C-alpha cells in the first residue's frame, strides 16, 4: 500500500503524482496514511470505530456527517468479519486509513487466506450481511471496494469513498 494518501485514485497502485488540476505537489494538511493493529476480539470493533472517527476529526478531514457514519459502519463490519471469521488463523488484525485530496480509504487486513464473498440476504438470518452492507454503503457514496490477497497469504478488504459524495 504505497499510495501515501495522495491523488484521487483510491487504488493502492497509483500515488504520489501531481494531479492535472494543478494543485500544489505537497499533500494537503489532512492527507496521509495511518495504520494500527488490534487483537481479533470483539472489543476491537468499537475501538477501531472510535479510532477512525477520532483520526478524521484530529486531522481535520473535510467529511460530512453522513460520510463519517458510512465509514464507521464499514469499519465496524470489516473488523467484525475479521474477528468472527479470521481470528483462529489471525489473532491480530490491522486497520488502515488513507486520506487523499478527494477520497478516504479504510481497510482491514488479516492473515486468514479465505477470500470472503457477500452472501445474498436471507430474511430468516440475523447475520451474514456485513459485506452486502459494505458494498451498498460504498456504492451509494460513489466509492469502490475490493478484496485483495497480501504477500503474506492473508487478505485486505478495503473501501474508498469520495470526500464529496456523488449523486446516485
Amino acid at each position: 500500500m504505497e499510495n501515501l494518501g495522495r491523488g484521487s485514485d483510491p487504488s493502492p497502485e497509483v500515488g504520489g503524482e501531481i494531479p492535472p488540476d494543478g494543485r500544489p505537489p505537497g499533500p494537503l494538511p489532512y492527507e496521509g496514511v495511518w495504520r494500527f493493529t488490534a487483537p481479533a476480539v470483539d472489543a476491537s470493533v468499537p475501538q477501531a470505530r472510535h479510532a477512525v472517527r477520532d483520526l478524521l476529526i484530529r486531522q481535520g478531514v473535510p467529511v460530512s456527517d453522513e460520510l463519517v457514519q458510512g465509514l464507521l459502519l464499514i469499519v465496524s463490519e470489516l473488523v467484525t468479519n475479521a474477528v468472527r471469521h479470521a481470528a483462529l488463523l489471525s489473532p491480530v488484525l490491522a486497520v488502515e486509513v488513507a486520506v487523499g485530496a478527494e477520497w478516504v480509504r479504510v481497510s482491514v487486513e488479516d492473515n486468514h487466506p479465505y477470500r470472503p464473498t457477500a452472501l445474498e440476504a436471507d430474511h430468516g438470518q440475523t447475520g451474514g450481511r456485513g459485506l452486502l452492507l459494505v458494498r451498498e454503503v460504498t456504492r451509494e457514496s460513489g466509492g469502490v471496494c475490493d478484496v485483495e490477497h497480501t504477500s503474506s497469504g492473508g487478505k485486505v478488504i478495503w473501501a474508498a469513498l469520495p470526500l464529496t459524495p456523488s449523486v446516485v
Side-chain angles (χ1 to χ4, degrees), residues 2 10-11 20 59 61 66 68 72 78 81-82 87 94 96 106 118 135 151 154 156:
E2 296 294 319
S11 65
Q59 292 304 121
V61 180
E66 184 177 333
V68 170
L72 298 182
L78 296 182
N81 282 351
E96 185 173 278
V106 293
R135 190 170 60 195
S151 60
V156 60

Side-chain angles (χ1 to χ4, degrees), residues 38-96:
V41 297
D42 289 337
S44 293
V45 177
Q47 290 173 349
R49 190 173 51 246
H50 293 276
V52 170
R53 183 200 62 211
D54 294 348
L55 172 71
L56 295 171
I57 292 168
R58 184 175 62 248
Q59 292 304 121
V61 180
V63 289
S64 66
D65 288 339
E66 184 177 333
L67 190 62
V68 170
Q69 293 308 314
L71 284 168
L72 298 182
L73 176 62
I74 290 168
V75 168
S76 292
E77 293 299 331
L78 296 182
V79 172
T80 297
N81 282 351
V83 168
R84 287 192 181 154
H85 304 293
L88 187 61
L89 294 178
S90 183
V92 175
L93 58 92
V95 177
E96 185 173 278

Side-chain angles (χ1 to χ4, degrees), residues 74-151:
I74 290 168
V75 168
S76 292
E77 293 299 331
L78 296 182
V79 172
T80 297
N81 282 351
V83 168
R84 287 192 181 154
H85 304 293
L88 187 61
L89 294 178
S90 183
V92 175
L93 58 92
V95 177
E96 185 173 278
V97 179
V99 182
E102 300 170 6
W103 53 268
V104 59
R105 178 180 186 256
V106 293
S107 62
V108 175
E109 182 178 336
D110 63 58
N111 289 322
H112 196 289
Y114 175 70
R115 183 181 173 111
T117 56
L119 302 174
E120 292 304 315
D122 178 353
H123 298 293
Q125 271 187 302
T126 57
R129 294 186 197 80
L131 290 178
L132 286 174
L133 280 170
V134 168
R135 190 170 60 195
E136 189 62 22
V137 168
T138 302
R139 186 190 65 76
E140 286 181 3
S141 298
V144 292
C145 59
D146 201 2
V147 179
E148 299 170 356
H149 290 286
T150 63
S151 60

